[in-house]
Amino acid sequence: MPYMLLFLFRLLALVPLPVLHAVGRLAGRAIYALPGKYRERLQANARQAGYTDPAFPGQAAAQAGAMIMELPKVWLRNTESLAKTFSDDDAVVEQALAEGKGILYLTPHLGCFEITARYLTRHGPITVMYRPPRKAILAPVIESARSTSGLNAVPATLQGVREFVRALKRGEAVGMLPDQVPAQGDGVWVPFFGRHAFTMTLAGKLAAQTGVAVIMTAGERLPRGKGWRIHYIRIPGPLPADPAAQALLINQTMETLIRRFPTQYLWSYKRYKQPAGAPPPPAAATPPDPS
């Protein structure tokens, strides 16, 4: 069964990108039309961020569908996908590379976050952190996706963190998702779009300990299947010493990047959930997270 899924992904990877995006958008809207927790959470998170236009949630759901359908192309047709990827801001990376201290890339659930790390390998090797798939059926597909030259994927474990530190000490780049809800003890409650969210402290600690450049980045999905544009925002250093201040600065920079193309953020993500064992958010009046 897992290899049947890999075969299906390989077939889908042959489909033109405009078709994949169009099918994904239709599927995304169809799923959003169904009543349920997904629809409620997407609406609530978008409204929390100030996006109150009634058309916005449907547009975001369509982009989420396009994100899923583009995965076979990005994972299994690397050269073809990168040929459709560009950036107007590469000078930001080049300046950071010239400093010779390594780079910490922070890539939120925005646009095509799978293409971003692949594009960044043009500047040198990069080590990225991932969470192993919960379903074993996805393992062969994920393994094929990790076979890109210059891209080293490590698990989100203590061993993975050690790999990160070693890569940064070599002056290389590492990448992680800054809006992924951390486990107990690995985060702090700080505002994200005006509501407290349990936010990882690992990114800030790595930057503070190593003095590397910190760059927020995301791959904007272009219309009509034209490809992706990579965006960068460098976070000024040095970062504050306090972990909560570090996390707040990262969240604020993330908000700035998301507002460039907000419908492409994964608003359905359970960003405001309280992980098991984590302390409650400081504001008792914080509304419950639809789940």
Side-chain angles (χ1 to χ4, degrees):
M1 187 66 174
Y3 294 97
M4 287 295 295
L5 182 62
L6 179 57
F7 177 71
L8 175 61
F9 265 60
R10 285 173 174 164
L11 287 180
L12 288 173
L14 299 175
V15 177
L17 186 61
V19 176
L20 291 174
H21 280 172
V23 171
R25 289 188 177 98
L26 286 173
R29 287 186 178 276
I31 294 172
Y32 173 74
L34 301 174
K37 295 298 183 182
Y38 168 81
R39 178 186 176 94
E40 293 171 6
R41 187 167 55 249
L42 193 160
Q43 291 176 340
N45 288 349
R47 186 168 55 249
Q48 173 65 41
Y51 296 105
T52 57
D53 185 338
F56 185 90
Q59 295 168 353
Q63 290 290 348
M67 176 199 69
I68 293 173
M69 287 301 296
E70 72 193 1
L71 287 179
K73 179 75 70 177
V74 174
W75 282 352
L76 303 177
R77 306 284 290 186
N78 189 63
T79 301
E80 179 182 341
S81 297
L82 289 177
K84 293 177 175 287
T85 310
F86 69 97
S87 176
D88 299 320
D89 306 324
D90 279 331
V92 175
V93 176
E94 291 166 0
Q95 180 179 350
L97 287 171
E99 296 169 10
K101 295 182 179 180
I103 300 177
L104 170 58
Y105 291 106
L106 302 178
T107 307
H109 291 86
L110 175 65
C112 183
F113 41 93
E114 290 288 345
I115 196 66
T116 307
R118 287 163 170 77
Y119 179 82
L120 293 173
T121 59
R122 65 182 294 178
H123 299 293
I126 180 171
T127 300
V128 297
M129 190 172 289
Y130 74 97
R131 287 183 179 174
R134 294 179 180 178
K135 297 183 179 180
I137 191 174
L138 296 175
V141 178
I142 301 297
E143 288 297 327
S144 296
R146 294 191 202 130
S147 62
T148 303
S149 176
L151 182 62
N152 177 34
V154 298
T157 61
L158 180 58
Q159 180 60 34
V161 174
R162 288 171 178 163
E163 290 284 343
F164 260 36
V165 173
R166 282 194 283 266
L168 289 174
K169 287 183 176 179
R170 293 193 299 266
E172 296 176 0
V174 300
M176 61 197 308
L177 294 164
D179 56 346
Q180 198 162 47
V181 178
Q184 173 191 4
D186 298 325
V188 291
W189 290 101
V190 292
F192 180 65
F193 285 114
R195 178 180 171 186
H196 279 89
F198 201 62
T199 303
M200 69 163 61
T201 55
L202 176 59
K205 289 177 180 177
L206 284 173
Q209 291 173 4
T210 60
V212 298
V214 184
I215 298 177
M216 192 76 64
T217 180
E220 178 187 6
R221 186 175 305 107
L222 301 178
R224 295 182 294 280
K226 290 183 178 179
W228 304 271
R229 175 189 289 112
I230 307 298
H231 294 252
Y232 306 108
I233 299 178
R234 181 164 179 176
I235 301 179
L239 265 63
D242 178 59
Q246 294 169 357
L248 178 59
L249 177 59
I250 288 172
N251 277 0
Q252 290 171 339
T253 308
M254 195 169 7
E255 291 177 17
T256 299
L257 185 58
I258 290 169
R259 291 197 186 281
R260 291 187 180 182
F261 40 106
T263 60
Q264 294 189 27
Y265 187 62
L266 198 62
W267 295 105
S268 60
Y269 182 59
K270 296 180 181 180
R271 184 64 187 91
Y272 299 104
K273 70 179 180 180
Q274 179 181 345
T286 298
D289 176 39
S291 58

